[in-house]
Amino acid sequence: MSQSVFTPHSKASQGSSIPPLKIRSARVIVTSPGRNFVTLKIETDQGVYGIGDATLNGREKSVVAYLEDHVIPVLIGRDARRIEDIWQYLYRGAYWRRGPVTMRAIAAVDVALWDIKAKALGAPLYDLLGGKSREGVMVYGHANGETLEDTLEAVGRYIEAGYKAVRAQSGVPGVDLAYGVGRGDLYYEPADAQLPTETVWSTRKYMNYLPNLFEALRKRYGFDVELLHDGHHRMTPLEAAQLGKRLEPYQLFWLEDATQAENQDAFRLIRSHTTTPLAVGEVFNTIWDAKDLIQEQLIDYIRTSVVAAGGLTHLRRIADFASVWQIKTGCHGATDLSPVTMGAALHFDTWVPNFGIQEYMRHTAETDAVFPHAYSFSDGLMHPGDGPGHGVDLDEALAAKYPYDPRQLPVARLEDGTMWNW
């Protein structure tokens, strides 16, 4: 009987099998090429390695400690092929489970293991998930400006760049440091100081102003381009219902995070008053955070991300559950997620049958250099690349030149000083 020889890049289509891939080491790399990223690198005794993203914006070191103290020690010596078993071990084996820190740590391990397995088979990650469901992934960019006219021009620039969908955010007269208004055309990083910046908010001023923005956008650009907007959890359920109804004539692709996501029941009130599509979930960590929203069809898009939801293994379950109720995916994809998560998300998006859209904020040139990647943008669509694994790597020597830079997200107060949702 002949003995098969393991070749790391042998093609799965040629019938190769993978012998045990024993985890030899795992390391956390923290780098800040413009903003902080936490990356987990897992290496096997066969010389195949994988990387996963564990970034938690403004709380990065909490995940570093969780990985180094509680996760990495139990990974050494395990078989990297057993992705499901390792996921269950890290989730079920933690009595204090769920939450943003735990699930990001699990996500980093999970994505790194999928990367390893795909590389060992010489296949793009989407092939392991079930193969392509589409030829490209529709993404939306972020257009914003201090004034209505600034935002109109910013949306136009995205349309000229080929985007088929654009998120529009604008400064609000009388509201200083309104959410979503960046400091450049492509980059928006709200975590801006070692201690949280305090901003002031007025929901009434915002609600009276916003319909004017979308009326102006439709007058200038028509109805062929998809328009999105993020409410960022700042409205009460009734306020969100009122705004959704006022925005109906402008046919938004979605109104995102209309109210606090913790209160799933609140979406019943919103749903009963408006047909504006609703999206929520970037702060969700497990299927339990979205269960009622999905099975009662209170939302149209589920936005949890690869890194927030414990990796591809669990995100697939959320997407499959959502598909039963004709709810689509719309994964979070801001710059607080590293290119590793973007690469993994694009492989997921290429496969998932009930795909809706993918958020895509461009990283800085420094970040792109630290994380060389195979994904690309063309004519409004993203492509994950067809090489082995998820297609994103880490230049450790370059990463070391950008040390950790403590930053926190802002907080918000109402005009009378009451703490509010940022």
Side-chain angles (χ1 to χ4, degrees):
M1 181 181 294
S2 61
Q3 185 176 4
S4 62
V5 178
F6 171 65
T7 304
H9 299 293
S10 58
K11 289 290 184 180
S13 60
Q14 296 172 347
S16 64
S17 61
I18 312 175
L21 291 164
K22 186 176 181 179
I23 296 176
R24 181 178 62 194
S25 66
R27 294 180 294 114
V28 180
I29 300 103
V30 180
T31 183
S32 186
R35 59 117 28 249
N36 296 311
F37 298 109
V38 178
T39 307
L40 177 68
K41 184 173 184 177
I42 298 178
E43 298 173 306
T44 70
D45 61 350
Q46 297 290 338
V48 186
Y49 69 87
I51 58 175
D53 181 19
T55 306
L56 178 57
N57 197 1
R59 298 289 187 271
E60 295 89 359
K61 286 295 188 73
S62 60
V63 191
V64 173
Y66 193 98
L67 284 166
E68 292 182 339
D69 296 341
H70 305 291
V71 174
I72 289 176
V74 304
L75 291 178
I76 306 305
R78 294 184 181 274
D79 186 348
R81 300 175 306 173
R82 300 184 62 176
I83 299 173
E84 183 66 46
D85 183 66
I86 291 174
W87 194 95
Q88 295 294 339
Y89 183 93
L90 295 175
Y91 181 82
R92 293 181 183 272
Y95 182 73
W96 310 107
R97 63 182 64 160
R98 302 171 63 188
V101 175
T102 296
M103 298 308 286
R104 274 170 168 77
I106 294 175
V109 175
D110 188 72
V111 170
L113 295 180
W114 280 101
D115 192 28
I116 287 170
K117 197 164 191 176
K119 286 175 178 175
L121 287 168
L125 201 156
Y126 62 72
D127 269 354
L128 274 65
L129 298 175
K132 287 185 176 183
S133 293
R134 57 197 50 81
E135 296 305 317
V137 173
M138 184 169 76
V139 297
Y140 68 90
H142 287 206
N144 60 81
E146 290 287 349
T147 67
L148 186 149
E149 186 60 34
D150 290 341
T151 302
L152 287 177
E153 293 177 2
V155 169
R157 289 194 292 271
Y158 274 91
I159 294 172
E160 290 173 3
Y163 283 79
K164 305 176 188 300
V166 185
R167 193 189 87 164
Q169 308 287 141
S170 175
V172 177
V175 176
D176 190 28
L177 300 176
Y179 166 77
V181 179
R183 298 170 180 81
D185 294 337
L186 296 174
Y187 312 116
Y188 172 57
E189 177 46 63
D192 60 357
Q194 290 194 14
L195 294 176
T197 300
E198 291 204 5
T199 65
V200 178
W201 181 250
S202 169
T203 305
R204 177 54 54 197
K205 291 175 181 176
Y206 160 77
M207 289 178 61
N208 287 335
Y209 177 74
L210 193 69
N212 300 327
L213 171 65
F214 284 94
E215 180 182 23
L217 284 168
R218 287 306 185 197
K219 283 182 177 178
R220 182 170 298 189
Y221 300 114
F223 285 81
D224 289 339
V225 62
E226 302 285 5
L227 295 177
L228 305 85
H229 181 74
D230 183 2
H232 222 245
H233 316 281
R234 296 185 176 208
M235 290 170 278
T236 66
L238 184 59
E239 288 169 341
Q242 292 171 339
L243 181 63
K245 194 166 189 65
R246 293 182 66 186
L247 292 175
E248 285 177 11
Y250 313 118
Q251 299 178 24
L252 268 64
F253 186 91
W254 75 35
L255 174 61
E256 175 187 342
D257 292 343
T259 193
Q260 290 175 258
E262 300 99 315
N263 185 3
Q264 297 189 41
D265 289 343
F267 283 79
R268 293 194 185 97
L269 188 152
I270 302 171
R271 190 62 128 186
S272 68
H273 287 285
T274 181
T275 59
T276 294
L278 302 173
V280 75
E282 72 180 51
V283 299
F284 291 173
N285 304 127
T286 72
I287 198 168
W288 303 106
D289 298 316
K291 180 179 73 70
D292 295 344
L293 292 171
I294 290 171
Q295 67 184 11
E296 296 184 33
Q297 295 180 278
L298 301 178
I299 58 174
D300 301 280
Y301 298 90
I302 180 67
R303 296 206 63 247
T304 192
S305 64
V306 173
V307 70
L312 293 161
T313 295
H314 190 56
L315 187 59
R316 292 176 74 189
R317 294 197 171 97
I318 296 173
D320 283 341
F321 183 61
S323 72
V324 175
W325 283 276
Q326 297 177 283
I327 293 167
K328 296 180 179 181
T329 64
C331 293
H332 180 58
T335 49
D336 61 348
L337 312 181
S338 91
V340 177
T341 286
M342 180 55 67
L346 292 171
H347 282 269
F348 170 83
D349 297 332
T350 298
W351 157 76
V352 67
N354 52 319
F355 171 75
I357 201 168
Q358 170 68 53
E359 181 178 20
Y360 174 53
M361 290 181 68
R362 295 178 183 269
H363 289 102
T364 64
E366 292 82 4
T367 296
D368 286 338
V370 169
F371 294 93
H373 51 265
Y375 62 76
S376 61
F377 173 84
S378 177
D379 296 326
L381 303 177
M382 293 288 288
H383 306 272
D386 299 317
H390 56 49
V392 184
D393 209 339
L394 174 67
D395 185 330
E396 292 191 58
L398 187 55
K401 297 180 179 180
Y402 299 100
Y404 173 68
D405 182 16
R407 298 290 181 93
Q408 294 196 46
L409 291 168
V411 296
R413 293 183 183 273
L414 299 181
E415 292 175 306
D416 67 358
T418 302
M419 281 299 299
W420 200 239
N421 309 310
W422 175 76

